[in-house]
């Protein structure tokens, strides 16, 4: 499993091409060899690929707006060809589909695009939060997603923090999703008083030795992507701490 950095963590620092280069230099210097392109300012895919090649970084995964995936599928695929990126992701289910009235249209709307992505040799990846573990019509949304899309049509970018935040067992869901987990988001959970907070990997209270062992057993994960939506202090320090803790266990 290859260790990468989810750029959403440092989104404030990637809004211009100059800052993107500066940020990627910092990330490469930490030891990361892959990134997820997310929440970036405007940059041509050719320019991003050139910077990444210069720094020996692989673009592992992206988050693309759901509207572009639906309405501009072929252009999105071509951009990912330029980036050398196999995985085309969305960061969340659009709000309208999260209700009993409209969830049934999600698969109908996205299946064609997912099929075209698969035909191009890539994979559509869905990133979870906690709301997918709420039951809608007697069934969890994540369970409905698994019924509505085959593993070839859709992978799951499992987010360890949000599974924990939903009150679910991370290791159990790794086993349930084991044929879809090409990419995984790693972030930890700590507490401040009564409130949960995000923390660098292995700096909080989640059982990461067990989580990593479960991912090893599942055997389907190609990229471990460190993400921290909110940071106490510098997001660069948080990425650096997560990398050091995972590298100590042999992940690079």
């Amino acid at each position: 499993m290859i260790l990468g950095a989810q750029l959403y963590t440092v989104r404030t620092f990637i809004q211009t091409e100059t800052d993107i280069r500066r940020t990627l230099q910092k990330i490469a210097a930490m030891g990361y060899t892959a990134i997820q392109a997310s929440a970036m300012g405007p940059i041509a895919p050719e320019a991003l690929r050139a910077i990444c090649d210069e720094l020996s970084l692989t673009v592992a995964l992206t988050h693309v707006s759901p509207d572009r995936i639906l309405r501009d599928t072929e252009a999105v695929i071509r951009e990912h060809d330029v980036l050398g990126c196999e995985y085309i992701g969305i960061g969340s289910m659009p709000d309208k589909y999260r209700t009993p009235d409209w969830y049934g249209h999600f698969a109908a709307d996205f299946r064609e695009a997912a099929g075209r992505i698969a035909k191009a040799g890539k994979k559509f990846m869905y990133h979870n939060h906690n709301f997918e573990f709420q039951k809608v019509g007697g069934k969890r949304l994540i369970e409905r997603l698994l019924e509505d899309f085959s593993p070839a049509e859709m992978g799951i970018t499992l987010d360890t923090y949000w599974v924990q935040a939903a009150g679910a067992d991370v290791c159990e869901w790794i086993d349930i999703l084991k044929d879809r987990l090409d990419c995984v988001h790693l972030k930890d959970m700590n507490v401040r008083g009564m409130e949960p907070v995000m923390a660098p990997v292995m700096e909080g209270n989640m059982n990461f030795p067990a989580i990593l062992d479960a991912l090893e057993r599942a055997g389907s994960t190609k990229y471990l992507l460190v993400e921290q939506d909110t940071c106490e202090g510098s997001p660069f320090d948080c990425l650096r701490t997560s990398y050091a803790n995972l590298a100590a266990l042999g992940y690079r």
Side-chain angles (χ1 to χ4, degrees), residues 53-235:
D53 285 351
E54 178 186 323
L55 297 171
S56 298
L57 291 170
T58 298
V59 182
L61 169 67
T62 62
H63 276 169
V64 179
S65 83
D67 283 345
R68 285 206 70 215
I69 288 175
L70 286 178
R71 296 175 175 81
D72 207 10
T73 314
E74 294 305 319
V76 169
I77 290 168
R78 288 194 299 272
E79 290 165 11
H80 285 70
D81 285 339
V82 171
L83 292 172
C85 179
E86 182 180 354
Y87 299 106
I88 301 174
I90 59 170
S92 189
M93 182 183 291
D95 289 349
K96 68 181 181 181
Y97 296 108
R98 303 180 193 183
T99 66
D101 291 329
W102 221 254
Y103 172 78
H105 299 303
F106 181 76
D109 288 351
F110 279 85
R111 184 173 287 113
E112 180 184 354
R116 290 163 72 182
I117 289 167
K119 188 175 180 181
K122 304 187 186 302
K123 184 177 279 190
F124 175 52
M125 298 294 293
Y126 180 94
H127 170 259
N128 71 277
H129 290 83
N130 52 355
F131 70 82
E132 291 90 353
F133 292 84
Q134 179 179 341
K135 289 183 179 179
V136 175
K139 186 171 290 188
R140 294 176 183 87
L141 276 178
I142 194 162
E143 293 170 325
R144 295 189 67 179
L145 284 169
L146 302 186
E147 291 176 352
D148 291 342
F149 292 88
S150 71
E153 291 174 319
M154 187 181 74
I156 301 291
T157 304
L158 187 75
D159 189 300
T160 56
Y161 176 94
W162 288 115
V163 177
Q164 184 88 1
D169 185 303
V170 180
C171 293
E172 177 187 19
W173 278 93
I174 289 171
D175 186 59
I176 292 169
L177 300 170
K178 59 189 174 185
D179 54 350
R180 298 178 187 257
L181 296 180
D182 303 62
C183 305
V184 172
H185 280 179
L186 302 183
K187 66 167 78 78
D188 209 339
M189 182 185 289
N190 211 333
V191 290
R192 295 289 177 266
M194 295 288 288
E195 297 299 319
V197 296
M198 295 179 182
V201 179
M202 301 180 70
E203 297 292 313
N205 294 304
M206 293 174 63
N207 189 352
F208 265 95
I211 290 168
L212 293 166
D213 185 57
L215 289 169
E216 294 281 4
R217 290 197 308 274
S220 58
T221 303
K222 185 173 180 179
Y223 292 105
L224 299 173
L225 298 161
V226 172
E227 180 184 41
Q228 199 171 328
D229 309 30
T230 58
C231 299
E232 297 180 313
S234 163

